[in-house]
Amino acid sequence: MKHMPVDNTLLTDDSRLLTDAELDLLTGTSRTTRWRLRRRGKWPPRVEIGGISGNTLGQIRELMRKGLEEAEARAATIHVEPAPRGRPKRSAA
């Protein structure tokens, strides 16, 4: 079976509309989940180009960048005390 050459512009053209299958792979979300998130304002609106609607690669890159920044900000505010080392001390009973 011959392998088709990969067109690098597929991953660099931010104006390219992504298929549902590509969105599934890139984001790990289903079509239904994206619809629900879009209704809550947590997913970018669909763009219509030439009668076809969907999300652009640029929209998804921005969504992922914002999600990463939010996760890093949350992680920076969490302080976890290290667990004590060794055997627990007996209480005086």
Side-chain angles (χ1 to χ4, degrees), residues 78-84:
I78 297 172
H79 177 71
V80 178
E81 290 291 327

Side-chain angles (χ1 to χ4, degrees), residues 7 28 30 80 83:
D7 183 2
S30 69
V80 178

